[in-house]
Amino acid sequence: MLSELCDNFLPGLITSSKLLVYTTTSECDCRHGYTKARRRGYAQSLCQQVYSDLVVLIDSWSIPEVFQPGDASAREQEEQEELCDTLSRLYDVIRPEEEEVRAFVEQGGQQRPLVVTGGPCTGKTVLLAHCAQQMRSWLPDSDPVVITYFCNLSINPTPAHLLSCLCYQLEARYHSEASSEQSTIHMDNHNRSNNPRDLNPDCHSTSNVCSPELKQRLSCLLTSMPSAERPLVLILDGLAHMENNAGAQIAESLPSPLPPNVKLVVTVSPDLLQAINPPRSAAQGVSEGGEGSGYVCVQLGPVDRRQCVKMLESLLRTSGRRVTSGQQALVNRALTACRLTLYARLLHLHTSLWHSDSDVTESSLPASVHSSISALLDHLEQKHGSSVVSRAVSYLTLSRTGLTEAELADLLSGDPRVQTEHVPRLPQVAVETLLLDLRRFLIGRTVAGSLVLLWVSRHFKLVVAKRCLASREVSREVHSAMADYFMGRLSREPRGVETNSQPFVFYSPFKDVGRVNLRKVLELPHHLRESGRCGELERELLMSLGFHQAMVRAGLLGELVAMLEKEEGSPHLVFSRERALLAGILKSSACSLQSSPLHLPSVMETNLLPYLDVFPGLEGYARELRQQRRRRGSGLGVLLCPAQLTVPSIRCLTFNAKTENVSVKEAAEAESGIVAQVLDDGTAWIWKGFGCDVVRLSLSCEQKELTFTGIKSSGHFILFFTQCDKLLLWDVTGPERFLQVTGHAKALESSRITANTVEGFVASQKSVFMWWKGESFVSAFDVSNETMTHFQCQSAVTCLACSSRGSYVYCGQEEGTVSILDTNTGSVLGACSNTNHNAIKSIIPCGDEWEMTCVDRTGRVSLWDVASKTNPPRLVAESFIGGESNNVLNIDYSHGSGTLLMCQSHQVVLWDTCAWELWDQFLAPAGKTFAQALLSRGGHLFLALLDSCPSVLVWRVSTGQCVLSLETNRPPHTLLSAASSVICVDAGCRVTAWDSEMIDAAGAAPRMGLGVKEVAVERTGECFYTSDGSHAVWRWRLESGLPHANFVHRGAVEKLRLSPDGVHLVTLSAGDIYVWRTGSGQNILRISGSAATDVLIAPNGSFGVSVSERGLSRVWKLAHGSVVCSIHVYLSDAKVSPASTFLIGCRRGDLLAASLWSGSINKRFSRAEASDRVVAFHTLSEHPDFVVVMAASGAVYTWNMPEETVYRHFQLPCRFRCQPRDFQVSSDGSYALLSTENQAVSLLDLSQVRLCSFKAEGPVIQVHLDKTGRYVAYAYRATPSARVKNCTRCPHAEALLAVVRLADGERIGSARLAKSPTALVVCERRRVLVGFEDGSVGVYSILDVVTGGEESLGCRENASGRSKRRAFDRPLSCSARASANITWP
């Protein structure tokens, strides 16, 4: 036997498994044996060798990266199928109910679900798992699709997640071409994520309520996909054991009646039957209980006693045990009292401990499942120790998804309570022995790629919780220990040094790929939350880049967003707004992140940095982004964020999510930010702001629930109107107490009106003043004593305004009259009327209430002096802006800036009430009309809704530019301005909220009027210049991220040139040449008569060259504009030689060099063939005598101008062609950029005479070759994947910036660009400047440790964007000379 082991078995095992073998030759003296020192030396050398071998094996292990976004759903599908197979093996007793299930499945035309119900431990789960395995044999004439889902064992047991997974599985299992072709955005939502909320902002709510869209999608799939040839059998187990009534929500989400060819089998408890369309008569067995029954029912009861006895005998026989006849009698009586298979399994453990002479009585056997489990734990504690067993079962019970054997062993070894019994460490064999004793009551299942152990029945958890986790403190202690373990804090060295053995991602040392630590991702948040360590949960996970990367890489983007939103209501978390922003960014970038998870740092940096001034709590997140880039040793950092086109929403809520086809009737907001809605179904809903969920307002009167018909708000009061003519007033600053407004009944009767005709009200301290539609009186309700008084006016009241103390009320009326009422006496103090007698639309007391501004319905604005309440008001000023429409839609006023906004359908008019002058008029875009407009909080922006426009547009008041578009999912209905947010209510009962400070920050971002055309950078890199084809050139400071000088010309700027020393700026505008001093902004020269089409500056900074296509090209002195010489020949694509001696350019296919001193043509490039014309050339600053020339034939030459010699270097292959517009050469001549065609950047390595091509993931938009020849930067429009193309909310072609190191072709990094780039420059300080189509600029830094480069962050370490103090300030304006001071003939 030993010979066989040594000679055959072990060598064969070693060879087949490629195992490492360690051999040693004993040098021990057989007479003395092994000495202690020799044993120690052998052990140390063996350990060192094994350790080094393990390191080599780990380093050589190729860690695959999981990038596919559908992998999370596919992984869970496989795990559910494996779990079904595992549970089916527990089917030890054949149940008669199996035939009833079979009969239901085989029966055709059945469109009702089969409900399997029964008491605890009756085996419902095991029965359905077994039936799922039999479906194909039961339906031999078809190819059934069987989907089994154990809901309570899901890693994310929420209704939205479960329905989303069902949608994914339906598509994955049927995988028909028609399905993929007809896939819509909703289909894409469910495919790409385990949670639909990551792509579908409609569903973002902390309530986990399934959205109507998700229900509709599931119903559509169930209707369209199953067929007679491929029917669907859907088995849902564990609905009754889900938390927060989730099981009932899932049951209600399933269509009723079921579509044809769909069989639904569910297990529920009796109290859940009502959720499944309850029958009109009771159903027994498979009897359908009449035509009105909503389901078919199978009642699962206890097992036959004889079956339990046979099962126990089989288990005893398998374990080599048996009992005496007397003992068997006791067992039979016990099984008669409790006929459950789990109880029989537990009895097997107890009876296997008996001996033939054991004295057993009826009390020796526990009477129930729970007492049997408790007896089992007693036995294990006696055998293994109480602390070991108690902690082991506690860890298994409180784990979220189960524990692996290694995790359980580590937890027990590091547990202080266990260490007191096993000093210093619990042996591994003790853990294995304990698990061996528990093997019959633990099942192994795969979760996130790891084999974990969990209880075979939930009743083990119930017993352990009662026995070992009776107090909340103990549970928190166990959760805390598990949190420490998954945070890597249990691996303690002897000196107490902690090591992080639990990173979020395990990276390979050779590749920038890794495998996500899914065990940590799934378990750690749960244990931190349950242990009460909310601060760590927020800092270490919710606001951690590492955790976000792990979640996104694992395909759990939806769950990450849900976590960020779910924790908003926790009082222990302090960064709710910051987390809302992170969730908003992830939602808005969901499509691109799911197709490219590794781009998360770039996405977050681009979208987060502009708002760091608003959210300083995210500085740590931004710091983590930079630190990760430095650790990686390469990447693109953001130094200056470009202006944003939109602002991510920080909250998206659904009102009345359970009802479809319901629209908003009216919405209002209070000063504190509380939003209320009344829907057309008569329900009212309230949202109290961030950290709160939407709640339905339910009030009863005379045992009848009130139906709401309208809502108004003013100050901190909200007024609700009801169908029964009741008015309910709510002071949102106090408790949730609704005060019924009394005293208006008499007025209602006399005027024959209803409470629904209340036009509005104004609030002042403890009083509210209401006016009624078409009525000439005002009702004042005193909140303190609940009394109502009425004030009479001359005509129908149209608006009200109240003084700050409530002493006076200003009543605007239908005939253009304004009456001032004393609220104490009810007397009229004065009245005034406008000249056209149009109805007053709004009244604004201003100037410490000494003045009153009135706006009538036609837009006429009048200012009245009302300082003296004893004299009639005096008209100070009146103005009217005519237009196409005479209707004023709404009015808004900013007290801080003194700005009055008046919105009409064709225009928005702004008035400066401080100087009382018209500020500006904004006309509606062509073909559009305004519906509503509001001022931003600071008054620097205004937001507007346009008819048939799905977005909220934002204009900057100072420039008139439309700077932002706030995206909504459905056409907006109402725009509200709350305390710190802007809220849009759409027609579909959804509320989208944006942070007001974020809107101000994004709207304040500087941008030119048009797309950036040219960028010039000073050699120091501290300042740069941009032009957009308008009259202006901006000078920017990188340190502040703001333009600080604006060089204004008399015409559109065509060319922009900066001298090498940065002292002079030369521009070409409307045929005139302008020379500016950059330091002072002075326009020292304006030269006319040049007829120039281009201007150049010599490298020595002394001369300028004006190139004219139809006239003379002139060389002139930069300091005073005097002409040195004229060049009579037009040279296209002209460049000044590095030595500042020649002007080099092309003419009719030839390359010529004209002297800058005489203007004559002194040099000519000699072509090898007369027909081979020059298409491109470039000078070399490091080799001033040489020019690189590209010929049309593809030949590459170097031309030595002084010696007039030509050297042919290379002939391009036929498939490579140089594009003259792209041709660039590095200063040392090592690399030449040839073209950007075919979605690739093609270069020529002149030093090694080879072609290089870098594939881009889409068409290249802009490209620039670094002068030093180290990098090439290019912007391209990424071609979206097939899935992203279907997403209507994601850009179809997203622009990206990439930088490639030319030495080895390695991509240094990439960055997401929010919009299309129009200009790109790589400057000497490893910075990339990008100009965009909206006139903004972004600056990115290159970090590359390979070439010795470091990321330069000294100027703007925070990279946060802009100074708040100067955010809306205009740059210093430097005006050009009114006329030319030099004229050339």
Side-chain angles (χ1 to χ4, degrees), residues 725 744-755 757 772 777:
D725 288 341
H744 66 287
K746 183 176 181 180
L748 296 180
E749 292 175 4
S750 61
S751 303
R752 296 181 181 180
I753 59 177
T754 66
T757 59
W772 311 77
F777 64 89

Side-chain angles (χ1 to χ4, degrees), residues 129-181:
H130 170 74
C131 291
Q133 304 293 317
Q134 307 301 314
M135 289 298 172
R136 292 189 178 276
S137 62
W138 290 351
L139 301 172
D141 298 331
S142 60
D143 182 19
V145 173
V146 183
I147 296 178
T148 307
Y149 204 95
F150 301 94
C151 305
N152 60 318
L153 298 179
S154 171
I155 61 174
N156 183 10
T158 60
H161 171 82
L162 186 142
L163 295 186
S164 179
C165 285
L166 290 181
C167 291
Y168 172 84
Q169 291 197 39
L170 284 169
E171 290 183 320
R173 298 292 293 274
Y174 280 95
H175 56 79
S176 63
E177 293 182 2
S179 170
S180 61
E181 290 176 359

Side-chain angles (χ1 to χ4, degrees), residues 95-116:
R95 306 296 299 269
E97 293 85 359
E98 178 184 345
E99 291 302 319
E100 299 177 3
V101 176
R102 178 174 182 172
F104 169 81
V105 173
E106 292 177 341
Q107 181 182 1
Q110 181 64 263
Q111 291 185 266
R112 293 181 293 172
L114 174 65
V115 175
V116 180

Side-chain angles (χ1 to χ4, degrees), residues 711-742:
I711 188 174
K712 302 290 182 182
S713 66
S714 176
H716 53 84
F717 289 98
I718 298 180
L719 185 65
F720 293 89
F721 313 145
T722 66
Q723 197 172 38
C724 58
D725 288 341
K726 293 185 181 296
L727 296 179
L728 302 176
L729 187 66
W730 179 29
D731 184 353
V732 299
T733 60
E736 293 186 7
R737 176 174 172 265
F738 291 83
L739 187 64
Q740 183 174 346
V741 178
T742 58

Side-chain angles (χ1 to χ4, degrees), residues 171 178-188 191 217 1286:
E171 290 183 320
S179 170
S180 61
E181 290 176 359
Q182 297 173 1
S183 177
T184 63
I185 178 57
H186 301 294
M187 178 87 73
D188 188 78
N191 283 4
R217 186 59 196 158
N1286 293 328

Side-chain angles (χ1 to χ4, degrees), residues 218-340:
L218 178 61
S219 178
C220 178
L221 292 174
L222 290 175
T223 303
S224 61
M225 287 191 167
S227 62
E229 294 76 18
R230 298 198 69 193
L232 171 67
V233 180
L234 179 59
I235 301 175
L236 301 179
D237 176 71
L239 293 178
H241 306 312
M242 300 179 70
E243 298 179 355
N244 301 322
N245 200 32
Q249 295 181 41
I250 294 171
E252 293 169 355
S253 301
L254 299 172
S256 179
L258 292 171
N261 305 309
V262 174
K263 298 291 184 181
L264 173 63
V265 183
V266 296
T267 62
V268 297
S269 59
D271 57 344
L272 249 183
L273 290 178
Q274 296 299 320
I276 311 179
N277 192 12
R280 296 173 187 171
S281 59
Q284 299 292 334
V286 295
S287 63
E288 298 180 358
E291 294 298 327
S293 300
Y295 56 85
V296 179
C297 185
V298 170
Q299 182 71 37
L300 201 60
V303 182
D304 183 73
R305 183 188 65 83
R306 290 170 295 180
Q307 294 283 349
C308 289
V309 171
K310 289 181 179 180
M311 174 184 171
L312 179 58
E313 290 177 352
S314 176
L315 291 173
L316 287 171
R317 191 181 310 111
T318 302
S319 59
R321 306 288 296 179
R322 61 181 182 176
V323 296
T324 65
S325 58
Q327 295 169 345
Q328 183 66 49
L330 291 175
V331 170
N332 292 343
R333 284 196 293 270
L335 290 175
T336 302
C338 185
R339 294 175 294 153
L340 300 173

